[in-house]
Amino acid sequence: MLNLRNLSFFCILFVHSFSIGAPEARFVSIRYLEKQAFLRISEYFDGQENAGNRLICRSRPDARAGLYVIVSLKESTRNLPQDLFARWQVISSKSPNPVEHRIAVPNDRTRGKDLFVGLTGADWPDPKARPVAWKFSLETSDGKVILERKSFLWERP
């Protein structure tokens, strides 16, 4: 039997779980990926990166190794609005001030559901470094936030 306290908890959970017009997504992980994680056999033949059904966005497109946010969407990446960019704010152990990265999300998208957004090259050169706190969002060109997640420590002093 639900008491008033439990009912309030479920109402709050329900309201905060859904946002009108926002894509449903599950954050898989934030981790450092080496260049080899993106190599496929076809690349050895034609020299072109094959992303498969993953939508890959990088802060430095010429570098593959880096720290990635991996998001699994409920629907295809093709259903995301056009002209999106990812805003990733990160506080590292080297500085208490957040560094913001804006990464364009290509309009030419795969039918897959996985989105990889990476801080690559000089933007995250140390494979052993981990972010202290972070905030990640997908935003339209007019500034509308359609997806946002942040670490627990992001709002702590």
Side-chain angles (χ1 to χ4, degrees), residues 10-19 22-25 149:
F10 286 116
C11 288
I12 291 170
L13 183 64
F14 179 79
V15 168
H16 290 289
S17 296
F18 299 98
S19 177
E24 289 186 48
R149 295 292 190 276

Side-chain angles (χ1 to χ4, degrees), residues 23-24 72-80 111-114:
E24 289 186 48
S72 182
L73 300 170
K74 186 173 182 180
E75 297 182 14
S76 169
T77 59
R78 289 182 178 168
N79 293 341
L80 292 172
R111 64 181 178 275
K113 298 177 183 180
D114 295 329

Side-chain angles (χ1 to χ4, degrees), residues 57-119:
C57 316
R58 297 182 176 111
S59 62
R60 308 237 178 189
D62 57 329
R64 295 184 193 179
L67 186 70
Y68 284 83
V69 169
I70 304 170
V71 180
S72 182
L73 300 170
K74 186 173 182 180
E75 297 182 14
S76 169
T77 59
R78 289 182 178 168
N79 293 341
L80 292 172
Q82 295 293 300
D83 302 321
L84 279 180
F85 68 91
R87 180 189 311 252
W88 195 0
Q89 297 167 291
V90 180
I91 298 174
S92 72
S93 59
K94 295 179 182 185
S95 171
N97 300 320
V99 176
E100 180 175 299
H101 300 272
R102 289 173 50 110
I103 304 166
V105 177
N107 287 329
D108 183 24
R109 302 180 183 144
T110 67
R111 64 181 178 275
K113 298 177 183 180
D114 295 329
L115 173 64
F116 286 63
V117 180
L119 301 180

